[in-house]
Amino acid sequence: MEQRTLGRTGRNVSVIGLGTWQLGADWGDVREDEALEVLEAAHDSGVRFLDTADAYGDGRSEQLIGAFLRSRPGHDVVVATKAGRRVMPQRAETYSLDNLREWTDRSRANLGVETLDLVQLHCPPTSVYGDDAVYDALDTLVAERRIAAYGFSVETRAEALAAISRPNVATVQIVFNMLRQGPLAEVLPAAAAAGVGIIARVPLASGLLSGKYDENTQFAANDHRNFNREGKAFDVGETFAGVDFTVGLQAVRRIAPLVPDGATMAQFALCWIIDQPGVSTVIPGARNAAQARGNAAAAQMAPVPSDALAAIRSVYDELIAPQIGSRW
């Protein structure tokens, strides 16, 4: 699989990674054996970047990854975790050096490592992005070798640009897909110019871009696609990329005829993302081994042709942009 440099980490990662929120919680139930099968299938398919968080299953996702990687001595996998969302309600003053030490030490124990490859602040309050003390604390953790590098997982383009402007921020993780094209204009060029890596999350718009859903699709009660459609638990932009479900279905039905023979809708959606200049890696989730293998195979597709790119943009401009505007 193609490898790209992950921003200022200097590490090479696979262009298709694996997001592991679903291995922890909020996507229905996933058994431990199923989770390990997903990790094995992804690794066997060339995936060398895993994204997790201390809040995913209150550490369950990190623990599963740690157990899996201990079975692969000498592995070359880069693991990015996230910190800060276990503490609710969210307050800017929570992001202190003492708390960051505590959070990262817990993640180090969960993953079974001395030094975390990459720690991302997990969509913190907006004021955190302008707080010099937070960056000083993160630099201290690097100096203490608790972490090798740090970045931010953001909700908005403005937050992304604020993080990119800081000299030691290695990466920015942002929602980016065919239905959330806002980062194209400013964020991706700014990151590329600064040497900051871009991790594209929610690449399939919570499964909308798999093409498998319709108006009758039902989601489990403990699946965020059920309980967070109105943003009652966390930012609604994390669920279906903030797009109204019915509008999203309309968009997907217009994009579906563009999918080339031999590819799935999901693979086409992932290919569109990695074709965009400035993207380091994309992190689709997978609930089973077949999905993990299918996602990884998107790295072998030919680039999306220009006429298809134009058609996808038209769908976005006509259906999606009027709904979500500049919210994210």
Side-chain angles (χ1 to χ4, degrees):
M1 187 183 295
E2 179 189 351
Q3 304 282 305
R4 295 179 182 175
T5 301
L6 184 61
R8 292 173 175 152
T9 70
R11 301 284 298 276
N12 288 331
V13 297
S14 53
V15 69
I16 304 286
L18 177 70
T20 64
W21 181 9
Q22 76 288 351
L23 304 187
D26 296 330
W27 292 79
D29 297 325
V30 178
R31 300 194 315 268
E32 181 173 338
D33 61 329
E34 293 174 325
L36 293 173
E37 287 171 2
V38 166
L39 291 166
E40 182 174 12
H43 188 271
D44 290 349
S45 300
V47 169
R48 294 297 183 269
F49 180 73
L50 303 176
D51 179 82
T52 185
D54 60 2
Y56 295 167
D58 198 28
R60 181 175 187 252
S61 176
E62 289 179 328
Q63 292 164 6
L64 289 167
I65 290 170
F68 173 75
L69 293 180
R70 283 192 293 277
S71 72
R72 298 289 191 281
H75 68 80
D76 56 350
V77 177
V78 174
V79 179
T81 192
K82 296 187 281 294
R85 297 295 295 184
R86 290 177 62 247
V87 179
M88 300 299 284
Q90 286 280 288
R91 296 189 179 93
E93 58 268 25
T94 306
Y95 289 78
S96 65
L97 176 57
D98 286 344
N99 283 340
L100 285 164
R101 277 201 186 106
E102 179 184 339
W103 300 340
T104 53
D105 285 352
R106 184 177 185 269
S107 291
R108 290 164 64 207
N110 283 340
L111 286 162
V113 298
E114 287 296 317
T115 302
L116 298 169
D117 295 330
L118 174 66
V119 168
Q120 305 154 97
L121 297 196
H122 198 172
C123 302
T126 301
S127 61
V128 168
Y129 294 86
D131 189 343
D132 292 345
V134 172
Y135 297 92
D136 290 342
L138 291 166
D139 288 335
T140 297
L141 296 183
V142 173
E144 294 173 348
R145 299 187 179 179
R146 281 179 160 86
I147 67 177
Y150 62 84
F152 284 79
S153 182
V154 308
E155 296 288 6
T156 70
R157 285 172 275 173
E159 291 170 348
L161 292 170
I164 289 167
S165 72
R166 295 288 180 151
N168 294 331
V169 169
T171 62
V172 164
Q173 182 179 137
I174 192 167
V175 177
F176 180 53
N177 58 54
M178 290 178 176
L179 306 183
R180 278 278 290 273
Q181 297 189 28
L184 279 171
E186 290 183 272
V187 175
L188 267 61
V196 171
I198 288 290
I199 302 166
R201 78 170 184 277
V202 197
L204 302 181
S206 306
L208 258 177
L209 286 165
S210 71
K212 297 178 180 178
Y213 301 159
D214 61 26
E215 289 81 359
N216 299 313
T217 302
Q218 299 291 318
F219 299 98
N222 60 347
D223 190 317
H224 74 101
R225 293 170 293 185
N226 181 322
F227 67 76
N228 195 56
R229 286 199 186 193
E230 307 299 325
K232 294 178 180 178
F234 41 82
D235 192 280
V236 71
E238 304 290 344
T239 301
F240 300 127
V243 176
D244 175 80
F245 187 67
T246 301
V247 174
L249 290 175
Q250 294 173 23
V252 169
R253 286 167 182 154
R254 286 181 54 180
I255 294 170
L258 304 172
V259 178
D261 292 342
T264 67
M265 180 78 189
Q267 290 168 337
F268 185 60
L270 294 173
C271 184
W272 180 90
I273 294 171
I274 62 177
D275 281 353
Q276 308 303 324
V279 172
S280 305
T281 186
V282 59
I283 49 171
R287 288 180 55 86
N288 57 57
Q291 288 179 356
R293 287 190 288 267
N295 290 339
Q300 309 306 320
M301 291 179 62
V304 178
S306 58
D307 57 342
L309 290 173
I312 293 164
R313 183 69 195 194
S314 293
V315 172
Y316 174 80
D317 289 342
E318 293 173 25
L319 293 179
I320 307 301
Q323 182 203 343
I324 66 174
S326 58
R327 182 171 179 180
W328 295 284

